[in-house]
Amino acid sequence: MREQVKGRVYLVGAGPGDPELLTLRAARLLKEADTVVHDRLIHPAVLEHARPHARLIYVGKEGGGESVRQEDIHTVLIAQARLGRRVVRLKGGDPFVFGRGGEEALALEEAGIPYEVVPGLSAGIAVPASAAIPVTHRDVSGEVTFATAHRAGGAPDWAFLARAQTLVLFMAGDRLEEVVSALVSHGRAASTPAAVVEAGTWEHQRVVESTLGNIALEARRDAIGSPALLVVGEVVALRSRLPSLVARG
Amino acid sequence: MREQVKGRVYLVGAGPGDPELLTLRAARLLKEADTVVHDRLIHPAVLEHARPHARLIYVGKEGGGESVRQEDIHTVLIAQARLGRRVVRLKGGDPFVFGRGGEEALALEEAGIPYEVVPGLSAGIAVPASAAIPVTHRDVSGEVTFATAHRAGGAPDWAFLARAQTLVLFMAGDRLEEVVSALVSHGRAASTPAAVVEAGTWEHQRVVESTLGNIALEARRDAIGSPALLVVGEVVALRSRLPSLVARG
């Protein structure tokens, strides 16, 4: 009799971009993987941890086009695991921070596939850091809220988000005007320091720093594209006191 | 003439505990360090990345006693760098998430010492994940707020925190009653799912899951100690649908 081969899926966060911000566990699992199922925003150097003969399956968006449907990703993961393969499902950032990792975990659980979750550096922390913005800072901000501008099932709670000491908004690049207008109409001062970081931690990272009232205009003037993250709060003003970090960003 | 030796400080996040959750960059910088200045909650296996002859300087709390003063840590970092050393300042979690990394960066900036910041996995994401709690989840929570129960300069904005879809409260272990009472009196339903995770991602991790109204009593019954993190929100209820992750936690 053949031994029963048991496949397994690892839902792995790859971090925000910079390949050295991968965790040791993610690097090890990539080396051991038979199949790597990955998104768009994974640095090519991260994929180089995989073995030459590992099967790479791309499930990201084709330049502005449609994503692979979430259900189809579940089907791929389950089918690969049922073939007895060690599958790494590699996601930008952290699987549980706007990464739909919970949905994939539920699908694997329901299909009876063994799986694990390996957290990754979230862009929400690492990207502001690479732009010299500490998301919390003594006497400046004692909390930080992560939210996303793209949201299934209803608008964000703008009244709540307008009140966050530090607000980090994911996927904000293509709807800055709308976001700014919602925050200001819910009471956030237009004079609040704000920054947009495009491609944070990547070689081509760009930062636009301004006030909430002017950030959308200035980001448009600089043709800021996707992926971009918006940071709102007094912590943004710390950048000017950390010129060595700004120079490196 | 002797070449001028230039010291440098790396403010490095070591992640929440589990030594495999270190980043590749943190591991490399530890290998290259002459001096490692570290806190209490660093796993011993993380320090093993340092060279045998690297100088380790401990600046954490002595079991319940006083911490080394923040200003004294700055003095140590600056002095070591001025001796021409490559200094890794190793912090639990991420340097900029309740890690006082911003203060250390400002002190180094003002002293003219070259420095860099290397983000680490924040406990705020990785610890709930290790307890099978996705901090965001489609149709359940579209934002997550990190705050701390210990706060210099005034109380947290409880009215704001009570409204967070997912609230992750750091350093909550020794003041759960106070925190729960503040959240409930500001309108958070006592029936909201809540969990306390002690020593998240460490070998001795423990999780208590309950409702906000009962979590303090149940955590006390289980003698939950420090470090502990409180998670409040409907995402906590996803644990029951992810039994494979719970079993691993």
Side-chain angles (χ1 to χ4, degrees):
Chain A
M1 274 180 67
R2 282 179 60 193
E3 200 186 350
Q4 203 190 340
V5 184
K6 271 201 113 177
R8 177 176 283 269
V9 177
Y10 300 88
L11 304 175
V12 177
D18 179 340
E20 251 203 319
L21 294 179
L22 201 65
T23 63
L24 301 179
R25 182 171 303 154
R28 174 174 65 80
L29 291 171
L30 278 168
K31 279 183 186 68
E32 297 170 357
D34 303 305
T35 303
V36 179
V37 179
H38 68 97
D39 286 335
R40 188 166 58 107
L41 295 172
I42 303 292
H43 197 286
V46 167
L47 295 175
E48 284 169 15
H49 288 281
R51 292 180 295 193
H53 298 297
R55 181 171 181 184
L56 300 189
I57 302 178
Y58 176 78
V59 293
K61 274 184 201 175
E62 292 298 340
E66 282 301 297
S67 297
V68 175
R69 287 189 317 139
Q70 190 61 37
E71 296 69 24
D72 294 338
I73 295 174
H74 300 168
T75 304
V76 168
L77 297 177
I78 292 166
Q80 289 289 313
R82 289 205 170 130
L83 289 168
R85 299 197 175 127
R86 287 176 72 93
V87 182
V88 166
R89 166 71 174 116
L90 199 60
K91 296 169 163 294
D94 178 87
F96 281 166
V97 180
F98 313 123
R100 308 191 71 169
E103 290 165 73
E104 294 177 13
L106 286 172
L108 294 164
E109 188 82 51
E110 282 155 21
I113 307 287
Y115 68 97
E116 295 178 28
V117 175
V118 180
L121 277 195
S122 174
I125 297 167
V127 165
S130 75
I133 302 169
V135 289
T136 70
H137 191 83
R138 190 184 173 88
D139 299 333
V140 177
S141 177
E143 19 96 345
V144 54
T145 298
F146 303 119
T148 169
H150 284 254
R151 190 135 165 192
D157 180 353
W158 289 116
F160 171 76
L161 298 181
R163 211 167 142 174
Q165 279 191 309
T166 302
L167 172 64
V168 177
L169 206 70
F170 287 58
M171 292 176 274
D174 57 353
R175 51 181 70 182
L176 274 176
E177 278 86 357
E178 180 190 333
V179 161
V180 166
S181 144
L183 290 171
V184 170
S185 74
H186 284 87
R188 189 73 185 216
S191 59
T192 310
V196 172
V197 188
E198 180 193 68
T201 84
W202 291 68
E203 295 85 348
H204 53 288
Q205 166 174 320
R206 292 195 300 159
V207 184
V208 176
E209 182 186 347
S210 183
T211 59
L212 184 59
N214 292 329
I215 192 76
L217 186 68
E218 297 197 21
R220 183 189 291 192
R221 190 153 55 202
D222 285 1
I224 290 289
S226 169
L229 192 136
L230 172 68
V231 191
V232 180
E234 294 301 327
V235 290
V236 173
L238 290 167
R239 289 190 88 218
S240 63
R241 295 171 60 197
L242 299 168
S244 311
L245 285 188
V246 172
R248 281 189 55 82
Chain B
M1 274 180 67
R2 283 178 60 192
E3 201 186 349
Q4 203 190 340
V5 185
K6 270 202 113 177
R8 176 176 284 270
V9 177
Y10 300 88
L11 304 174
V12 176
D18 179 339
E20 251 202 317
L21 294 179
L22 201 66
T23 63
L24 301 178
R25 183 172 303 156
R28 174 174 66 79
L29 291 171
L30 278 168
K31 280 184 185 66
E32 297 170 357
D34 302 305
T35 303
V36 178
V37 179
H38 67 97
D39 287 334
R40 188 164 59 107
L41 295 172
I42 303 292
H43 196 287
V46 167
L47 294 175
E48 284 169 15
H49 288 280
R51 293 181 293 194
H53 298 297
R55 180 171 182 184
L56 301 188
I57 302 179
Y58 176 77
V59 294
K61 273 185 201 174
E62 293 298 339
E66 283 300 297
S67 297
V68 175
R69 287 190 315 139
Q70 190 61 38
E71 296 69 25
D72 294 339
I73 295 175
H74 300 170
T75 304
V76 168
L77 297 177
I78 292 166
Q80 289 289 314
R82 288 203 172 132
L83 289 168
R85 299 197 174 127
R86 288 175 71 91
V87 181
V88 166
R89 166 71 174 118
L90 199 61
K91 296 169 162 295
D94 179 87
F96 281 167
V97 179
F98 312 124
R100 308 191 72 170
E103 289 164 74
E104 294 177 13
L106 286 173
L108 294 164
E109 188 83 50
E110 282 156 23
I113 307 287
Y115 68 97
E116 295 177 26
V117 176
V118 180
L121 277 194
S122 175
I125 297 166
V127 166
S130 75
I133 303 169
V135 290
T136 70
H137 191 82
R138 190 181 172 89
D139 299 334
V140 177
S141 178
E143 19 96 347
V144 54
T145 298
F146 298 157
T148 170
H150 285 253
R151 190 136 165 191
D157 181 353
W158 291 115
F160 171 76
L161 298 181
R163 210 167 143 175
Q165 279 193 307
T166 302
L167 172 64
V168 177
L169 206 70
F170 288 58
M171 293 177 275
D174 57 354
R175 52 182 69 182
L176 274 176
E177 278 86 358
E178 179 189 335
V179 162
V180 165
S181 143
L183 290 172
V184 171
S185 74
H186 284 88
R188 190 71 186 221
S191 59
T192 310
V196 173
V197 188
E198 180 194 69
T201 84
W202 290 68
E203 296 85 349
H204 53 288
Q205 166 175 321
R206 292 194 301 158
V207 183
V208 176
E209 182 187 346
S210 183
T211 58
L212 184 59
N214 291 328
I215 191 76
L217 187 67
E218 297 198 19
R220 185 189 290 192
R221 193 153 54 203
D222 285 2
I224 291 288
S226 171
L229 191 136
L230 172 68
V231 191
V232 180
E234 294 301 326
V235 290
V236 173
L238 290 166
R239 289 190 88 218
S240 63
R241 295 170 60 198
L242 299 168
S244 312
L245 285 188
V246 171
R248 281 189 55 83

